[in-house]
Each structure stands twice: as C-alpha cells, then as structure tokens.
Amino acid sequence: MGTPLLGCVDEEKPNLVQKSDSEAFDRRERERFSNLDSSIRVYLGYFLSALESPLYLPRRLTIPVVSEERWSKAYAVISVTLAPILLATLWNTQKENTNSKTSLVIYMTAGLIGIVFGNLVFMATKNPSPPKHYLFPWHAAGFLMSVTWTYIIAEELVSLLVSFGNILEISPSILGLTVLAWGNSIGDLIANTAMAMKGGPDGAQIAISGCYAGPLFNTLVGIGLSFVFASWSEYPSSYVIPRDPYLYETLGFLMGGLLWALVILPKKNMRLDKFLGFGLLAIYFCFLSLSDSGYGVAVVVMEWRRRCWC
C-alpha cells in the first residue's frame, strides 16, 4: 500500500493513499455483502448449523468448558453429568468379553458419579460468569474429554479407512503407508514449513528438530503405549502381531533416509540445501514404488504357496 515492509512511516505525515484505499475497500465489501437477501443468509445459517450440530452437540455436552466467551451453567452441569457416562460407554465397547451384568454395573456407577458431579457444579457455579477458583479440575476434565473425543474420532476414521480398503481390495499395509501416513503427517508438514519460512534461523532449527522429534515420539511413545494397552487387553494370553510383508522394507528405507541425512549433513557443514531434500524425496518415492509393486509380488507368492500346500 505504498509503504515498505521494513520501512518506517512518518507519524506526522500519515499515508493518505493507504487510508483512502482501505476505506474504499471496506465500503465495497460492505456493499457487496449487504446486497444479499437477509432471508437467504438466515436460511443459510440454519442449514450450516443443522449440518454442524450432529458433530458439535455431543462434544459440547460432554466436554467441560470454563472460558469466559463460551460459559453456560446449563452446559457445564450437563457436561460433567454426561462425561462419566461417555467414558463408561467407551470402556464397555472396548471390552469384548464383558457380560451384561458388568456393563450395567459400570453404567450405574458412571451415572451415579455424573449425578454427584452435576449437583456439585449446579450448587457451586453461577449463571453469569464461570468459576474463578479451583480451575484445575475443570481444565483436567476438559483435557481428558478432548483426548477421549480425539480417540473416538481417530478410531472411526481408521475403521472407515479399513472398510474402504476391504471394498476396494487394497492391502491394509498400503493404506497405512500412504493415506494414513499422509493424513497423520500433513499437519506437521504445514507447521514445520511455516516455521522454517517465517521463523528465521531459530524457526528453521525448530522445524528440523520437529521433523525428527515427531516421528520419534510416534515410534517410541505411540507404539509403546499401544503395545502396552494391547497386551493388557489380551492378558494373560500373549498379543499376536499380524505378519506384515512390508515391515523390513519400511525399516530399511527409514534407515536409508536417516543414513542419507547423517552422511550428507556433515559433508555440507550442517547446511541444508536442495541436494539433501531431493535425495530424501527420491528415497521416499522409491519406497512407495517398491511397496506398490511388492504388494502384487507378495500376493502372487502367497497364492503360489497356498496351491503348493494344497
């Protein structure tokens, strides 16, 4: 608008061109939106609210919120009452060998706990403003229920992905190596790219650290906790991991990418350049191409072995 990004503006002589242009732009925007029929905007708002409500209301009614903007005593009482029931439902659905009597006891216990919490919130809170004291239990409960909803949504998405794989006859390994891996990492990709481009030297260092720290956390903590819970659910029996023909390929290419960075970075005096990036992309595309072709080879080999045994 006539002013350099790194320059300074004289306070005594404001930029009149910038002011007039901005006012004209705001006027045009207001005129454009005011031309819409008010009834159309109302119906559009109702339609969007109807689409959003099946996903919004269950979360709103089970996640305690104490922020000033979204505070509602009715929602607070309902959320602390229904949150234990949702946890009990999730617990019963995760247990395959739970009988009806045990499930009923769990539901009754959760309902009793929810009623007690609801009465406490009803007596201890006020309508106009959220509570000012003892906020740690509120934040802890909100965090717990947010993690619970994240788990529920992630489980449904994975089940939907596996269902599409069964319908299209695509191997679960291929889905995990492509769609699930991309969806799991696209957020980190955007965040690391923005941090590297706009954060300066420190931002680039944070982005590179995040690129390796994120997968390291997923591998150690994610797999570690998953194996602990899976083994716990099968105890005293042992948990059997399904055999995956792409396991060794995945580990081999993972080690190849780490070795490529380990060799190239010291030679470049720890400076990142296009040579390192193109090498990592080439390794990943080779991995995808071999995995896709290896899937067909694995199917042929398994069919040949089956016929030989028959």
Side-chain angles (χ1 to χ4, degrees):
M1 303 296 290
T3 304
L5 294 178
L6 300 180
C8 60
V9 180
D10 190 358
E11 296 181 356
E12 298 180 355
K13 297 180 179 180
N15 193 345
L16 299 179
V17 177
Q18 178 181 359
K19 183 177 180 180
S20 60
D21 290 345
S22 62
E23 290 179 353
F25 177 78
D26 293 338
R27 191 184 308 111
R28 289 195 301 267
E29 289 295 319
R30 288 194 298 268
E31 291 176 356
R32 183 168 66 90
F33 283 104
S34 63
N35 291 331
L36 293 176
D37 190 1
S38 60
S39 61
I40 296 178
R41 284 183 289 176
V42 171
Y43 288 131
L44 181 60
Y46 287 153
F47 177 71
L48 294 178
S49 299
L51 290 179
E52 185 185 12
S53 58
L55 300 176
Y56 173 77
L57 282 179
R59 299 195 306 269
R60 187 71 173 90
L61 295 176
T62 53
I63 299 178
V65 178
V66 289
S67 63
E68 193 73 30
E69 299 80 9
R70 301 177 59 190
W71 168 253
S72 174
K73 183 175 181 178
Y75 277 113
V77 174
I78 295 174
S79 63
V80 298
T81 304
L82 297 181
I85 299 177
L86 177 62
L87 294 176
T89 304
L90 183 62
W91 178 268
N92 288 329
T93 55
Q94 298 299 315
K95 295 292 183 179
E96 297 180 355
N97 299 325
T98 304
N99 53 29
S100 58
K101 185 177 180 180
T102 304
S103 300
L104 182 61
V105 171
I106 294 175
Y107 278 121
M108 292 180 63
T109 305
L112 181 61
I113 295 174
I115 292 174
V116 172
F117 285 166
N119 290 326
L120 290 177
V121 171
F122 180 78
M123 292 184 296
T125 58
K126 300 179 180 179
N127 289 325
S129 62
K132 304 298 183 181
H133 305 285
Y134 304 104
L135 294 179
F136 178 76
W138 285 97
H139 294 307
F143 177 76
L144 175 62
M145 297 310 300
S146 299
V147 172
T148 301
W149 273 106
T150 303
Y151 173 78
I152 293 173
I153 295 174
E155 190 177 37
E156 294 300 325
L157 288 177
V158 171
S159 301
L160 184 63
L161 182 63
V162 173
S163 300
F164 277 116
N166 293 331
I167 294 173
L168 301 176
E169 297 182 355
I170 302 176
S171 172
S173 299
I174 298 298
L175 293 175
L177 295 176
T178 55
V179 180
L180 184 60
W182 296 338
N184 189 33
S185 302
I186 191 67
D188 296 336
L189 173 63
I190 296 174
N192 293 331
T193 303
M195 181 65 69
M197 295 178 62
K198 299 182 179 180
D202 294 336
Q205 184 177 5
I206 294 174
I208 294 299
S209 301
C211 288
Y212 289 97
L216 182 65
F217 179 82
N218 290 333
T219 302
L220 299 180
V221 179
I223 296 180
L225 289 178
S226 300
F227 281 172
V228 167
F229 289 132
S231 302
W232 188 12
S233 63
E234 298 292 334
Y235 184 82
S237 301
S238 59
Y239 180 76
V240 180
I241 302 176
R243 187 174 182 180
D244 190 356
Y246 305 109
L247 178 60
Y248 296 106
E249 294 182 8
T250 305
L251 293 177
F253 278 98
L254 177 61
M255 294 177 62
L258 295 176
L259 290 175
W260 175 263
L262 183 63
V263 172
I264 297 300
L265 284 176
K267 289 186 177 182
K268 298 289 185 178
N269 196 17
M270 304 305 291
R271 295 180 181 271
L272 306 177
D273 56 3
K274 297 180 180 179
F275 185 71
L276 174 64
F278 282 127
L280 294 175
L281 290 176
I283 293 174
Y284 183 71
F285 286 123
C286 290
F287 164 68
L288 289 181
S289 61
L290 290 179
S291 298
D292 293 338
S293 61
Y295 172 66
V297 174
V299 171
V300 173
V301 171
M302 292 177 64
E303 182 66 20
W304 177 77
R305 293 177 62 181
R306 185 182 67 81
R307 291 183 179 181
C308 289
W309 280 106
C310 293

